[in-house]
Amino acid sequence: LQFLQWLSKHGTRFTQAYVPSPLCGPCRSCLASGMEYDETGIYDNNPDQFPTDRTTTYKVLRDEGQYHTMTCGKDDLKKGDSKFPFHRNEIYKYSMDLGFSDAIRTGGKNAVLDKQHNEAYLDFLESTTVTLQDGITTISGMEAYESCVIKARSVVDNVIDNGLCDSMSFADHIYPDTFVKDTAIELLRRRPRDDGQQQQSSKPWFLQVNFPGPHGPVMSTAAMAESVKNREWPVPLYATVDSKNKNTHVCPQQQRLSSLPPQPEFTGRCNYGAQIEHIDKLMSIIVNEGVRQTQDDPNAFILDDTLICVVGDHGEMLGDHNLSDKKKPWQSSIAVPMICAGSTVQRGQVYNSPVTILDLFGTFMDYAGVTVPETMSTRSLRPILDYYNHNNVADNGFLPVRTHVSSGLSSGRSDWRLVIKEINGTPYKLICCRGSDCRIPGPSTAKPKVEVVIYENGDDMEWSHLLYDVLADPLDLNPIHDLRQDLVMQLRPLLPTGWCPSPDVVSGDDAYIL
């Protein structure tokens, strides 16, 4: 990961960055609105919930900071509404204003199959011709891509493969993340210029690049699959044999006969890794378009007054504890990589205290010289990032770096909130679940603490909670709530209002504990 290594070396890497919610739509709604999960009103991935009249972080940067704001790829905002300008040539409609001066939006790996008429990636695939590996048959890029998604699903659902996805038809140039890279470069090249030429502009700009990968379905072109073929990949932790096989810790391409040509692949941690390595290369290309390279190293950049941040919007269980996907309160789901670099950002700094990615946009507003609206709860990480601005928060009018971070989800079978706070140098995580459904992953025989609270109106509610030492137990195996109820009582008031209330506070002697 050459680009991410360079970014870490020349910037600050956060080892405990947490998402406000481990689900695409809710997390992106938090970033766009600058609000915590329970403040946004966006609890699930429903397509059209985000209110377009809301003050967004993008509107603040554009209207108050006078930034040219751009987005491309899968931003998960109003994703079910084809009226929003997906198409690269459509003039922006301010009647549906999320705060972007320019946009080339896509719906993601699966949404493109819905064939919305204004989907830029769909337009591209349908207008592109590819050749099958027989060297004769030609099909549209859409036919090849749709066949590859079907092939990826067949691993789980036993769908019949139609044979249109092969080493030549599913080429790197039609890969969804590659398309997003191309649209990012297009947006950068058409942004306002002082002289109309390819020169730096005095108008500041903001670009959010939303790669659809490495989100599922796991898909690697033949070249990507071949690049990771002969490496060892870690086995899912605390998983049964069946789960290990299902999540294929051994690369499927490693099992293919060497006499056969490389093929696209669709399962396994190795191909998940191949997606990440591909995105790493694409990020380097985008940055090269936006800022100047050094003359002696094509992988190094002169940042000047540019701030670059790389972050994920949720984690992935990848078979650990027999779990896949996200949505869980476990570390693999809620913790994400985050790196920021810029001309004033401390180089080579590793920051080990908990932070929330929600504060990225408070940070951007801080650097842009605009004030965070009172409706937003995002804060600035600039006191952590800047080598000259440490502990100088009073001068910029921003609230101090927060002392605890929160996350949560109420979607399907997931109904939980959590808070993480560093106490005497140790980060502790308190998870609160509605009902008794705080299921502990792995081989642990411990049980969550269950309490039944009787409210003044006579209603009762069952709550359960778990407490973890994040550093000592990064895989959430050994909860310590039975041993450290003192810490539970410290963290409980930091949960969203109404979650895991102290029984004595709610109803005195009428509450009881199981």
Side-chain angles (χ1 to χ4, degrees):
L1 300 176
Q2 287 187 336
F3 175 70
L4 290 180
Q5 288 178 355
W6 180 87
L7 203 66
S8 297
K9 182 179 178 181
H10 292 82
T12 294
R13 179 169 63 89
F14 296 86
T15 62
Q16 285 198 73
Y18 295 96
V19 295
S21 181
L23 189 59
C24 309
C27 181
R28 300 305 187 96
S29 296
C30 291
L31 299 181
S33 61
M35 298 176 177
E36 296 280 8
Y37 175 70
D38 283 296
E39 297 172 331
T40 66
I42 311 298
Y43 297 108
D44 209 335
N45 259 343
N46 291 333
D48 287 317
Q49 287 184 334
F50 193 86
T52 55
D53 60 349
R54 175 173 290 173
T55 298
T56 66
T57 50
Y58 312 113
K59 288 179 182 177
V60 174
L61 288 172
R62 185 194 63 195
D63 300 339
E64 302 298 325
Q66 298 300 301
Y67 273 68
H68 180 74
T69 55
M70 301 170 282
T71 187
C72 61
K74 178 179 177 281
D75 60 41
D76 283 292
L77 300 174
K78 301 299 288 186
K79 55 188 177 182
D81 196 325
S82 61
K83 295 178 183 178
F84 186 82
F86 290 101
H87 200 277
R88 64 178 68 84
N89 294 319
E90 186 172 341
I91 297 174
Y92 188 78
K93 293 181 174 61
Y94 282 89
S95 60
M96 189 173 286
D97 184 8
L98 296 178
F100 299 119
S101 309
D102 200 0
I104 306 175
R105 305 174 70 237
T106 61
K109 290 182 175 180
N110 290 310
V112 69
L113 301 182
D114 296 335
K115 301 184 179 179
Q116 297 183 57
H117 67 280
N118 265 351
E119 227 280 8
Y121 186 43
L122 171 63
D123 292 346
F124 166 75
L125 290 174
E126 289 185 335
S127 63
T128 301
T129 300
V130 295
T131 304
L132 296 182
Q133 62 189 17
D134 63 10
I136 301 173
T137 308
T138 60
I139 59 175
S140 72
M142 186 62 204
E143 290 176 291
Y145 180 80
E146 190 167 19
S147 176
C148 290
V149 174
I150 291 172
K151 203 167 183 177
R153 291 173 176 170
S154 71
V155 176
V156 178
D157 300 328
N158 296 316
V159 180
I160 297 176
D161 175 20
N162 63 10
L164 299 181
C165 176
D166 64 28
S167 59
M168 288 185 62
S169 66
F170 191 40
D172 286 350
H173 74 279
I174 71 165
Y175 194 75
D177 292 316
T178 304
F179 176 78
V180 171
K181 177 267 296 181
D182 292 339
T183 59
I185 290 176
E186 182 176 342
L187 288 171
L188 287 171
R189 289 180 178 175
R190 74 188 193 194
R191 73 186 190 273
R193 310 280 182 165
D194 289 341
D195 56 3
Q197 303 299 316
Q198 298 297 316
Q199 303 296 326
Q200 291 293 330
S201 171
S202 60
K203 186 177 182 63
W205 54 271
F206 167 87
L207 172 62
Q208 180 171 308
V209 181
N210 308 279
F211 288 110
H215 194 289
V218 174
M219 303 169 70
S220 291
T221 65
M224 291 166 57
E226 193 70 5
S227 71
V228 298
K229 177 179 176 180
N230 294 316
R231 302 190 218 167
E232 290 188 13
W233 297 88
V235 175
L237 297 172
Y238 303 103
T240 63
V241 173
D242 287 342
S243 178
K244 289 178 184 178
N245 289 335
K246 182 179 177 181
N247 289 281
T248 46
H249 58 288
V250 177
C251 277
Q253 54 263 43
Q254 223 163 304
Q255 312 302 306
R256 197 180 294 277
L257 294 175
S258 58
S259 59
L260 297 176
Q263 293 293 318
E265 297 291 351
F266 306 97
T267 60
R269 290 180 162 206
C270 58
N271 291 305
Y272 189 87
Q275 294 181 103
I276 294 173
E277 291 188 355
H278 184 61
I279 291 172
D280 181 78
K281 296 172 184 175
L282 300 179
M283 287 190 292
S284 180
I285 296 170
I286 295 169
V287 171
N288 182 39
E289 181 70 28
V291 303
R292 292 181 294 138
Q293 283 181 303
T294 58
Q295 293 182 355
D296 57 343
D297 184 354
N299 294 309
F301 304 93
I302 301 172
L303 294 178
D304 293 329
D305 57 353
T306 303
L307 176 67
I308 303 171
C309 292
V310 175
V311 69
D313 64 355
H314 59 72
E316 170 61 58
M317 296 304 297
L318 287 176
D320 287 347
H321 310 297
N322 294 334
L323 298 171
S324 60
D325 205 31
K326 58 270 187 186
K327 297 185 179 182
K328 311 298 183 185
W330 317 127
Q331 291 297 104
S332 298
S333 173
I334 61 170
V336 294
M338 186 166 86
I339 309 169
C340 290
S343 59
T344 64
V345 174
Q346 296 193 82
R347 295 189 170 195
Q349 177 182 206
V350 178
Y351 190 77
N352 294 314
S353 294
V355 298
T356 173
I357 72 168
L358 173 64
D359 288 342
L360 276 177
F361 277 87
T363 306
F364 298 154
M365 289 184 226
D366 191 353
Y367 278 102
V370 297
T371 302
V372 174
E374 292 183 359
T375 57
M376 297 184 182
S377 51
T378 179
R379 299 189 182 188
S380 177
L381 297 171
R382 193 171 181 180
I384 298 170
L385 293 173
D386 275 8
Y387 56 76
Y388 65 83
N389 197 37
H390 257 313
N391 302 316
N392 197 25
V393 291
D395 292 346
N396 59 25
F398 281 73
L399 294 171
V401 174
R402 65 181 75 232
T403 59
H404 66 276
V405 301
S406 302
S407 187
L409 186 64
S410 293
S411 172
R413 297 180 62 185
S414 298
D415 200 8
W416 54 267
R417 301 292 185 272
L418 65 79
V419 60
I420 300 173
K421 180 179 174 64
E422 200 169 64
I423 300 175
N424 296 326
T426 300
Y428 293 98
K429 175 172 67 174
L430 177 64
I431 304 169
C432 170
C433 300
R434 198 189 304 271
S436 57
D437 195 31
C438 271
R439 298 179 181 179
I440 302 174
S444 175
T445 57
K447 295 182 179 180
K449 190 83 166 182
V450 179
E451 299 173 341
V452 176
V453 176
I454 302 175
Y455 295 85
E456 292 180 356
N457 63 1
D459 292 342
D460 62 80
M461 173 67 70
E462 190 172 86
W463 298 95
S464 55
H465 66 257
L466 298 159
L467 179 70
Y468 291 96
D469 179 332
V470 173
L471 295 184
D473 189 13
L475 293 173
D476 306 288
L477 293 173
N478 301 297
I480 58 173
H481 47 268
D482 286 336
L483 300 174
R484 298 302 307 267
Q485 276 293 304
D486 59 317
L487 295 176
V488 172
M489 298 308 293
Q490 284 189 59
L491 296 175
R492 243 179 171 161
L494 304 179
L495 290 165
T497 302
W499 282 80
C500 281
S502 299
D504 57 331
V505 172
V506 176
S507 52
D509 295 336
D510 290 332
Y512 59 93
I513 298 175
L514 299 179

